[in-house]
Amino acid sequence: MDETLSLGRIGGVRVGLHWSVLVIVALVTVALARGRFPDAHPGHPAIVYWALALLAAVVFLCSLLAHELAHAVVARRNGVQVDGITLWMLGGAARLHSEAPTPAAELRIAGVGPLTSLVAGGVLAGVAAGLDALHVSGLVVEAFVWLAAINVLLAVFNALPAAPLDGGRLLRAFLWHRTGDRLRATRGASAAGRVLGWFMVVTGFAAVLFGRDLSGLWPALIGWFLIGAATAEARQAEMRGVLGGVPVSRVMTADPVTVPETAALADFLAEGPFGQYRHSTFPVLAADGSVAGVLTLRRVNATPAEARASTRVQEVMRPLTDVVTAEPGEPVLDLLPRLETSPVRRALVLDEGRLVGILTIADITRALSWPAVSAPARH
């Protein structure tokens, strides 16, 4: 899930929002402002309901962020690098650079999420009780009661033993410890995720069709997401089983076609360095031979035709800081998560700073059907 808006870094972890987070904010705000709050405490001005509902929605997002940050902190303490956190319509996602090294580490990383939500729910319930004892407005108390309840519900739901929920990670840790086989454990957790997903889809649509309750669409949507995510996780596990221990050098396209950063776009296009590979991305070299970035045909095409003769490659290329880099001996599986979140979705392979190859997700996919690894690749 790619972020739309960056919120910066918290504790060194990049945090961002996906545009779909506006959906959950809108749904929560409307449900509270036009439903729960006026029903429980009528007589207040509409603006009060809406303001408090919006504030509750924002606090709810903060609790989701706390849940994901807990995963990130524990992951780091267990030697797993965290690439970032993205909040979106159905919650949040912490992007881990690699997998947990042991079942015990998996247990700690997964378990801290629901525990954090449960603690948050308890704290908010305590605040609600304290405010009620101080005879604060019942509407404010109601907001804290709702926040406490939603966090406890979040903890319980996430603890269900089905991938990709935290409970699915706990189930995988148990199966991994029991069998000693990470791939088999992932298959079991993914299967449980698909079963839960289909149950939610069926019951959700049943509520809509037979009970005429449109709120059933929400669990059906979540169930559909669980099915897709669990299936994708199973596929990734199969990929890890095949590619485990395979170095980048065996999968990359060696000696890729390059372009100097001082070349004009018109000259670059006139030379037509596409050939049988039909390249769409080209590493860019500086005058001293070092790698400066990459040039994509999308950026070339975005440059007006009349400006290409006076536009240099370095003006439209993506700088090296925007590109994933790897070493030839690096395991492919460690590189895959970074490729999936990269805007270029390609990695430049450098050996002591010297360009030796380029790697795409398509190259990795082709590697699943040996011996196609050595075939010419498209980049």
Side-chain angles (χ1 to χ4, degrees):
M1 181 63 59
D2 297 330
E3 65 181 43
T4 304
L5 174 65
S6 174
L7 299 181
R9 293 181 178 273
I10 299 178
V13 178
R14 182 182 177 87
V15 178
L17 298 178
H18 186 260
W19 64 265
S20 62
V21 79
L22 296 176
V23 176
I24 189 65
V25 170
L27 287 174
V28 169
T29 301
V30 171
L32 293 177
R34 302 196 63 178
R36 178 159 181 156
F37 287 172
D39 290 346
H41 299 276
H44 294 276
I47 186 64
V48 173
Y49 293 130
W50 283 101
L52 189 59
L54 180 59
L55 181 60
V58 172
V59 174
F60 175 55
L61 285 182
C62 291
S63 66
L64 290 178
L65 179 58
H67 179 112
E68 298 302 330
L69 282 172
H71 285 309
V73 170
V74 176
R76 281 185 165 183
R77 290 183 177 177
N78 284 271
V80 179
Q81 183 179 339
V82 181
D83 292 329
I85 293 173
T86 302
L87 298 180
W88 68 299
M89 183 177 67
L90 295 181
R95 301 186 301 277
L96 304 183
H97 186 76
S98 58
E99 290 196 322
T102 64
E106 177 94 339
L107 180 69
R108 289 190 289 269
I109 295 171
V112 72
L115 181 60
T116 299
S117 294
L118 192 60
V119 170
V123 170
L124 289 166
V127 172
L131 292 176
D132 186 53
L134 295 173
H135 304 292
V136 174
S137 169
L139 185 59
V140 175
V141 173
E142 184 70 22
F144 278 95
V145 169
W146 179 85
L147 285 168
I150 199 67
N151 272 279
V152 172
L153 180 62
L154 180 66
V156 173
F157 178 73
N158 265 282
L160 293 177
L165 301 176
D166 294 333
R169 305 274 185 258
L170 296 174
L171 175 61
R172 186 173 77 157
F174 171 75
L175 295 175
W176 184 6
H177 174 73
R178 185 82 177 269
T179 65
D181 188 335
R182 188 199 305 230
L183 178 57
R184 183 177 174 186
T186 303
R187 287 172 179 161
S190 298
R194 287 192 291 271
V195 170
L196 176 62
W198 279 115
F199 174 78
M200 295 182 69
V201 168
V202 171
T203 54
F205 278 116
V208 174
L209 295 176
F210 301 110
R212 296 182 179 179
D213 184 2
L214 291 179
S215 64
L217 291 175
W218 189 243
L221 175 62
I222 296 176
W224 191 253
F225 161 74
L226 288 178
I227 295 169
T231 301
E233 193 162 299
R235 280 201 206 101
Q236 290 177 356
E238 297 293 342
M239 183 181 292
R240 294 187 191 102
V242 174
L243 295 179
V246 175
V248 167
S249 59
R250 289 196 61 193
V251 182
M252 71 181 188
T253 299
D255 301 320
V257 177
T258 62
V259 57
E261 65 176 356
T262 55
L265 294 185
D267 295 338
F268 163 73
L269 293 173
E271 292 177 5
F274 310 108
Q276 61 175 327
Y277 297 97
R278 304 190 305 279
H279 301 327
S280 61
T281 305
F282 299 85
V284 179
L285 300 183
D288 60 359
S290 62
V291 183
V294 296
L295 176 67
T296 63
L297 289 186
R298 178 176 298 179
R299 289 207 164 189
V300 174
N301 292 333
T303 305
E306 61 274 12
R308 292 173 184 171
S310 58
T311 303
R312 302 294 173 183
V313 168
Q314 60 189 358
E315 298 176 46
V316 296
M317 71 177 186
R318 280 191 175 273
L320 190 59
T321 53
D322 289 351
V323 184
V324 174
T325 59
E327 298 179 354
E330 183 176 344
V332 172
L333 291 179
D334 288 350
L335 180 63
L336 187 58
R338 284 181 284 159
L339 276 180
E340 291 175 336
T341 57
S342 167
V344 181
R345 301 183 74 81
R346 286 156 176 79
L348 297 181
V349 185
L350 307 179
D351 187 4
E352 297 183 353
R354 182 176 60 89
L355 179 69
V356 295
I358 189 169
L359 181 66
T360 71
I361 292 179
D363 293 330
I364 298 175
T365 303
R366 272 190 291 271
L368 296 176
S369 55
W370 306 96
V373 180
S374 58
R378 176 180 177 177
H379 63 267

